[in-house]
Amino acid sequence: MCVRHIIVFQRELFMDAKAIISGEFLGQFSSAFGNTEQAKKALGLVWEKVSQKKGQEEPYFRHNIGVGLAVMKMGMEKETVIAALLHNALRLGVSKKDIESGFGKNVLELIEQQERLEKALEFKEGGIDAVKKKIMILVSTNPTAVIMQLGETIDKLRNIRNVPEEERAEFIEEVKGIYDPLAQKLGIYEIGAEMNDLMFRHESLETYGRIESEINAVIGRQKEGIEATKAALKSALEAASITASVS
């Protein structure tokens, strides 16, 4: 098979994956908000831009959907989820005019606020103490942008293999110093716990694997014990001519 045929085959595979992951997202979006017209439009705009990144289409596309899903699961409203889907649209080359005309001024403002927030939280400007002070201000003045930034961070952490290897250590330090405390501060404990779990897996994969195996073994033994108890109870009920279901 020649290189051109391989590229075409890979692209066809991705188009199938694109349809599947778009469908999964739209299903959840429909359950949460009903009409999916704006979500479809946002996905189409994202695809138009990421399709220009030859060989990187799928990671980019999945990332935007991942951020949208994360924000939706944090209970945010429809406009915020659309903004999360389009969070990097300006960096991808979409004009402010197109975003505002297609999705409204509020969505554009949310995207711009999240971009400003991301820059404000960079380690380089004043170190971790300065960043923590900014967090205290931002949480009270711009919580929606903070939620969007958490959505982007957790998806990036879930797919850390897509982060260049030389940037991973710094990214993990940012999550530890900024985003995990931020999730805890906002009371989004599920996201904070997942961040800690993913960081531990990345930094101590062997230890993580051993602990995971031990936990699974304990769960397996518990399930076996439960099934044995259910079977014994069922036998005792039958012996006593008692009609009942054991579940």
Side-chain angles (χ1 to χ4, degrees):
M1 184 180 287
C2 69
V3 172
R4 184 173 64 83
H5 287 157
I6 291 172
I7 292 172
V8 170
F9 180 65
Q10 288 175 332
R11 188 167 182 80
E12 288 174 350
L13 282 179
F14 174 63
M15 291 302 290
D16 290 341
K18 171 182 172 284
I20 292 169
I21 58 181
S22 295
E24 290 172 352
F25 174 81
L26 291 170
Q28 294 188 49
F29 189 92
S30 176
S31 296
F33 305 113
N35 192 297
T36 61
E37 182 181 348
Q38 281 219 317
K40 288 177 181 176
K41 190 193 301 184
L43 289 172
L45 186 57
V46 169
W47 169 244
E48 179 186 333
K49 294 301 178 182
V50 302
S51 63
Q52 298 169 20
K53 297 185 176 295
K54 304 304 180 186
Q56 300 181 61
E57 302 99 326
E58 185 171 355
Y60 269 94
F61 194 66
R62 283 184 180 276
H63 173 64
N64 283 66
I65 288 181
V67 177
L69 276 172
V71 169
M72 181 161 56
K73 288 179 179 179
M74 283 188 266
M76 301 306 289
E77 59 187 27
K78 183 177 179 179
E79 273 191 340
T80 306
V81 175
I82 296 295
L85 271 180
L86 297 167
H87 70 279
N88 55 358
L90 296 175
R91 298 195 294 273
L92 289 172
V94 182
S95 70
K96 294 182 181 181
K97 181 180 178 181
D98 285 346
I99 293 173
E100 184 171 353
S101 63
F103 305 96
K105 187 176 181 180
N106 287 345
V107 169
L108 173 60
E109 287 179 350
L110 285 169
I111 293 169
E112 291 181 312
Q113 288 168 8
Q114 194 251 337
E115 281 203 340
R116 289 195 295 270
L117 170 65
E118 188 171 13
K119 291 176 182 177
L121 294 182
E122 287 180 354
F123 259 21
K124 298 178 182 66
E125 299 181 9
I128 188 63
D129 290 335
V131 169
K132 286 181 177 178
K133 289 178 183 178
K134 291 175 184 177
I135 287 173
M136 297 300 291
I137 297 169
L138 291 165
V139 166
S140 59
T141 60
N142 204 345
T144 303
V146 171
I147 294 291
M148 287 175 60
Q149 186 62 26
L150 282 175
E152 179 169 14
T153 302
I154 190 63
D155 184 75
K156 190 175 175 182
L157 191 56
R158 287 167 179 165
N159 300 281
I160 197 167
R161 66 187 179 279
N162 294 329
V163 177
E165 192 170 352
E166 66 275 11
E167 297 176 12
R168 291 176 190 174
E170 183 178 357
F171 172 59
I172 291 292
E173 288 305 309
E174 286 182 356
V175 177
K176 284 181 182 176
I178 301 173
Y179 298 110
D180 175 38
L182 191 52
Q184 303 297 338
K185 178 77 177 173
L186 290 169
I188 311 175
Y189 302 117
E190 185 176 348
I191 292 293
E194 185 180 356
M195 284 180 174
N196 279 296
D197 184 69
L198 291 170
M199 286 188 290
F200 179 44
R201 178 190 293 178
H202 176 70
E203 293 183 313
S204 306
L205 183 59
E206 186 176 338
T207 303
Y208 182 94
R210 186 175 67 252
I211 293 172
E212 185 176 42
S213 295
E214 290 172 358
I215 289 172
N216 288 336
V218 170
I219 291 172
R221 289 194 295 272
Q222 288 177 337
K223 285 182 177 178
E224 288 174 3
I226 290 169
E227 291 303 317
T229 301
K230 285 166 63 177
L233 181 56
K234 185 178 180 181
S235 296
L237 290 169
E238 290 174 351
S241 299
I242 297 174
T243 303
S245 61
V246 179
S247 59

